Amino acid sequence: MNGKSLRHRWQKKKKNVFYFTILVFLIALGTTALSTTSPSITVYVSADGRGNFNCDGSNDQIEINKAFTYVAENPQFTTVYLKGPNTYIISDSILLGNNTILAGDSTAVIKLEDKAGWSRNKPLITQMNSFGNQNITIKGFEINGNHDKNKEKKRGEGYYNQICFSNSSNIQVHSMYMHDGHGDGLKIERSSNIQFYDNQVYKLGHDDLFATDCLNVEAWNNTITCRTNSGFRVWNSNHVKFHDNVIDSFYHWSAGGSGIQIEKTTGVMNDIEVYNNTIHNTYGPGYGC
């Protein structure tokens, strides 16, 4: 092979190496630009001054609702995240809009204020639009209903339900610790596609999940201690699955009814599945229809 061919091959090899280096550089530059210019999907709420919105332990729903208003006005954001370890004291409802997530650290606590004095059927967490909202997830944190500092209200009469939706769809509540309430854990009416799973629920004041006139309701892998009424209750709802849950209670006259309660006064309820649940020590029957 003559020197001219060797030089030609060497020049071609150097050119290929140069082009490959440029290609690698452009890929790296594009990846860096994407990672630095793409907006975060999360808005953080904190009580230590390090959040996008910061609470002070009083009327904390104001800052949380400002965060959700911001998310509603900026659709590139999806999530309001409560940082822990913090307790967020609320004196009014938290309002969620479409296509949003309310999440938090396991050490983040939403707590009803002392002597709240709210009207009946006013929940701690609910929808932004009274006509209904869609695609909402609530996950990961703690809700303290503060029962003992609000004893002027009776349990089971619609006070201080923890989460409530109506005329809504695609609602998920999971990985929550919900406890010491006056009313329902999740109350949902005239809605569809509801999932309630991986929650720990302790001593609420009515049903832990109460679905009325709903379609496609599923609850699984929850651990529940009832206080006043049932663990799960459906009324005039269809396409329902309750499975792989543990439900118990304690022996007291106020400890309520069935572990799982199915009720029908109208409509069609021909697709109800209840299986693989462990129900024990309930004051009423384990399963009632």
Side-chain angles (χ1 to χ4, degrees):
M1 183 177 295
N2 60 39
K4 187 175 181 180
S5 295
L6 287 173
R7 284 195 304 272
H8 177 74
R9 290 183 62 184
W10 175 243
Q11 289 172 352
K12 185 176 181 181
K13 184 175 180 181
K14 285 201 301 181
K15 187 182 292 185
N16 288 339
V17 170
F18 174 77
Y19 288 147
F20 178 77
T21 303
I22 293 296
L23 178 61
V24 170
F25 174 77
L26 289 174
I27 291 172
L29 182 64
T31 302
T32 303
L34 183 63
S35 65
T36 56
T37 61
S38 294
S40 170
I41 62 171
T42 301
V43 175
Y44 290 95
V45 177
S46 185
D48 59 7
R50 294 187 293 177
N52 304 108
F53 294 86
N54 292 284
C55 301
D56 61 6
S58 177
N59 305 316
D60 289 335
Q61 79 284 344
I62 293 174
E63 289 77 18
I64 296 171
N65 284 336
K66 284 180 180 178
F68 273 109
T69 299
Y70 183 83
V71 168
E73 293 172 349
N74 296 274
Q76 70 269 31
F77 294 94
T78 61
T79 303
V80 172
Y81 193 94
L82 307 175
K83 295 180 70 67
N86 293 306
T87 297
Y88 300 90
I89 306 295
I90 63 169
S91 59
D92 204 345
S93 300
I94 294 170
L95 306 175
L96 281 63
N98 293 333
N99 307 310
T100 53
I101 299 169
L102 174 57
D105 294 326
S106 62
T107 54
V109 184
I110 287 177
K111 184 179 181 181
L112 180 67
E113 66 177 349
D114 296 352
K115 299 180 180 179
W118 293 9
S119 60
R120 183 181 276 114
N121 297 321
K122 182 179 179 64
L124 278 64
I125 300 172
T126 189
Q127 64 212 58
M128 189 177 289
N129 189 328
S130 60
F131 294 101
N133 284 107
Q134 295 77 43
N135 307 321
I136 292 175
T137 297
I138 299 171
K139 64 177 183 178
F141 58 94
E142 176 182 335
I143 302 176
N144 181 348
N146 198 16
H147 173 273
D148 289 351
K149 295 296 180 67
N150 287 279
K151 283 187 174 180
E152 70 279 3
K153 302 294 188 183
K154 293 183 178 180
R155 295 195 299 268
E157 295 191 0
Y159 293 103
Y160 312 130
N161 293 325
Q162 295 198 350
I163 303 170
C164 185
F165 292 100
S166 62
N167 305 308
S168 297
S169 62
N170 302 325
I171 306 298
Q172 291 188 10
V173 177
H174 69 89
S175 309
M176 297 288 292
Y177 176 36
M178 308 163 70
H179 63 98
D180 293 292
H182 277 71
D184 298 305
L186 170 60
K187 183 176 182 179
I188 191 152
E189 302 173 306
R190 302 178 302 280
S191 298
S192 62
N193 301 331
I194 301 106
Q195 296 183 327
F196 188 83
Y197 62 95
D198 292 339
N199 300 296
Q200 182 179 354
V201 189
Y202 183 77
K203 287 189 176 181
L204 300 186
H206 198 239
D207 304 304
D208 300 304
L209 165 61
F210 184 15
T212 302
D213 297 311
C214 291
L215 294 174
N216 301 317
V217 180
E218 185 173 9
W220 72 96
N221 202 34
N222 299 286
T223 301
I224 290 172
T225 296
C226 303
R227 171 157 56 183
T228 305
N229 284 83
S230 302
F232 303 134
R233 181 181 180 188
V234 288
W235 191 352
N236 300 333
S237 299
N238 206 15
H239 309 306
V240 175
K241 292 183 180 180
F242 295 148
H243 60 94
D244 301 289
N245 301 284
V246 177
I247 302 173
D248 68 4
S249 186
F250 59 101
Y251 193 79
H252 188 265
W253 65 268
S254 66
S258 308
I260 297 175
Q261 187 170 346
I262 311 295
E263 297 177 86
K264 177 181 180 296
T265 57
T266 188
V268 176
M269 294 182 68
N270 61 3
D271 181 23
I272 312 293
E273 297 184 56
V274 179
Y275 59 93
N276 278 1
N277 300 288
T278 300
I279 303 173
H280 60 97
N281 295 331
T282 53
Y283 192 72
Y287 175 76
C289 293

